[in-house]
Amino acid sequence: MPFSEVDVVVVGAGAAGLAAARELGRRGISAVVVEARGRMGGRAHTVLSDGGHPADLGCGWLHSADRNPWCAIAEGLGLEIDRNPPDWGQGSVGRRIGREAMTDWAEAMERFWDLIDRVGDAGPDRSVADLLPAGDRWLPRFEAVIGYISGAEPGALSAVDLVRYADTGVNWRVASGYGTLVARAGAGVHVSLDTPVTSVDLTGPRIVLTTPKGELCGRAVILTVPPPLLDGEAIRFTPPLPEKIEAARALPMGYVAKLFLEVVEGSGCLWDLEPDTQVPGALDGARTGLYHLEPLGRPLIEAYYGGALALDLERAGAEAMEDFAVGELSGLFGSSVRRHLKPVAASGWAADPWSLGAYSYAVPGGADRRADLVLPVDGRLFFAGEACSRDSYSTTHGAYLTGIDAAAAAAAVIRPDGSRP
């Protein structure tokens, strides 16, 4: 790619970057998106099983679907949305432990969340672990749930940040995969793949970005990389941006791992549960998975892990993750299930050099750092991505909305009067 000039350079072809580029195009402002990976979508990534069934290794649920902008985009692209709600395993838990214990479990979950909610939006902030009653029978189960939600253990999490997260409780799915949707949304956007940015120079009248394919020059830049890429200085800034590094360190990436297994054709009925049932691997420990059986009626199992367990499994490799999953599934449904399952794919977000984790969380005392992270620099360098969202962090729609906001801010710099070319 020769040296070229555009109005805006967008770094990252994930949900935030593609949203920003689409919005800039709508406003008649030239933009190019540079993406380090060889594909679009970022942490939204759909693969296919041998049987041709979509499997989302990244985001999978349209959270807050009743106000999630990706729903309208999906419909505009002609992609089917499944509106059946999940129960996050509650049905299978009730069947497993009985009505009385299930009532006790539900009441405990409500107590735990109430303790966190009492911290309020303004704090003073504390870790989530500081708020939970030690020795409670159901505490390990709640710790597992926190790991699924945040990708980290309660002791590492800001309670204020968790309270600020806003969700309507409506969760839908894209039948062909969330990753498919995000990648399809990039059609028509000028994207250069396999183009990591290694430096950003703000000292001249235009911002200069260095990539292995050459230099790019723009009047403004929208940066959508995850916080660790700022904290680790994967991108060199001239002049340096110590305030961004400090913000990034307060917003590390949580760990979530996924494994998909395919049910071998002709296996018959392996469990006495309806398709789309979710089953926890264990109820008495935090280091356990959540298993989605036959999602959307397909012959798959989606295994989901969070926090330290997710990191350990990803580091151990796909085969170790498969062994762990089949071990828990055998404990649930008998050892015979082993011969009826074959691996499809496993995630590896912790080792991915362009994400270094699944999505952001705030450390205790770090909730307000999201506002610091999103602040523009020099009136020309803008930031977007799920970590920049105050109340929709960790979600694809949160990333999208910050991308739209960044595009609007960049557009105001390029054409202060709002004119079009």
Side-chain angles (χ1 to χ4, degrees), residues 32-43:
V32 62
V33 181
V34 289
E35 167 58 47
R37 297 183 179 91
R39 60 171 180 82
M40 292 191 290
R43 285 167 277 159

Side-chain angles (χ1 to χ4, degrees), residues 35 96 236 255:
E35 167 58 47
R96 195 153 141 198
R236 297 185 307 276
Y255 301 111

Side-chain angles (χ1 to χ4, degrees), residues 154-175:
L157 293 172
S158 157
V160 167
D161 197 54
L162 199 56
V163 167
R164 286 178 180 173
Y165 180 80
D167 185 80
T168 67
V170 179
N171 298 279
W172 298 338
R173 287 168 291 182
V174 184

Side-chain angles (χ1 to χ4, degrees), residues 364-421:
D368 291 338
R369 287 298 195 174
R370 297 192 186 277
D372 296 334
L373 188 66
V374 78
L375 283 176
V377 173
D378 194 32
R380 301 181 297 163
L381 178 60
F382 302 92
F383 296 81
E386 55 84 12
C388 294
S389 175
R390 186 180 191 272
D391 59 11
S392 297
Y393 55 84
S394 80
T395 70
T396 313
H397 66 273
Y400 177 95
L401 294 171
T402 64
I404 296 295
D405 289 344
V413 170
I414 304 301
R415 296 204 180 89
D417 60 356
S419 64
R420 290 176 176 268

